[in-house]
Amino acid sequence: MHAAGEHLAGTSLSVLGMLADKSLLRRMHTGRYELHDLVQQFVLEYLQHSEPEYEEVGERHCWYYLTWLVQEVESAVNVSSMRATLDSKAANIRAAWSWAGTHRYMDLIAQTADSLKMFYKMKGYAQDAVQAFGAALDAFDQPDSESASHAMLLGKLLTQQGSFYQNMGRYALARRLFQRTLASSRALGSKREIATVLGKLGFLAIELGEYAEARQLMEAALHK
């Protein structure tokens, strides 16, 4: 993937080609460039001893792959072609999301959350999704911000993690997370979010055979 190589390395395609000629890079049959394992280890150790460069490369990697993920999901023609494309970038997507959470890139996490949910749904990795959204929650579930955008992000992360817990059959955890989102949405007065999470609680009640509860929740969602 030439664009990624040029963007992340901060260099031109001709330089990447020169490095490949010197066997410092390998060009794969897909067109991507890959570092030899020993070179990769050396570069990582070098960057870790040069904090400004390490942060710069990490930030470029993070923004590139999460922005790419959103664009890929939004422009996908069909699920099968998107799954094949995402498979080749899975490790980079996970690393980019982790970096964004650790560095508390709130806007980027908010913009990417729905696309990341789609990524994990297609991969069928519910446990990985729970961990990814849980790590982001750990980063942002702090009492240092009471802004509406911060509260909305927390609600989105709670809902995404709750949905994957529901898929795993861990209904008590899912319900607890949905209820936290509901309380937050009510505090914000967000009718759309209130209706969405009431619907999720309703479907959860159906799965548990709690049909009277489900009906009340669905009716409440429809009236929002």
Side-chain angles (χ1 to χ4, degrees), residues 4 27 40 81 113 129 200 206:
R27 186 174 180 183
Q40 192 174 67
S81 64
K200 287 185 175 294
I206 290 173

Side-chain angles (χ1 to χ4, degrees), residues 55-153:
E55 290 293 322
E56 180 184 353
V57 172
E59 183 173 356
R60 281 208 300 258
H61 179 276
C62 170
W63 281 88
Y64 180 88
Y65 277 102
L66 292 188
T67 301
W68 176 88
L69 174 63
V70 173
Q71 294 172 345
E72 185 67 25
V73 169
E74 290 180 349
S75 63
V77 176
N78 58 68
V79 172
S80 59
S81 64
M82 181 165 58
R83 182 181 290 115
T85 303
L86 293 180
D87 278 347
S88 66
K89 312 295 188 299
N92 283 307
I93 291 169
R94 293 191 189 96
W97 176 265
S98 177
W99 183 280
T102 300
H103 290 73
R104 302 191 71 190
Y105 294 161
M106 188 171 77
D107 291 342
L108 184 59
I109 289 286
Q111 294 164 12
T112 313
D114 289 338
S115 298
L116 190 76
K117 178 186 74 173
M118 181 64 70
F119 165 71
Y120 279 117
K121 283 184 71 174
M122 288 189 300
K123 296 287 290 180
Y125 293 165
Q127 184 61 51
D128 287 354
V130 163
Q131 292 173 355
F133 285 110
L137 276 168
D138 288 342
F140 290 101
D141 197 3
Q142 306 290 336
D144 61 353
S145 177
E146 297 181 358
S147 69
S149 58
H150 183 264
M152 289 179 66
L153 174 59

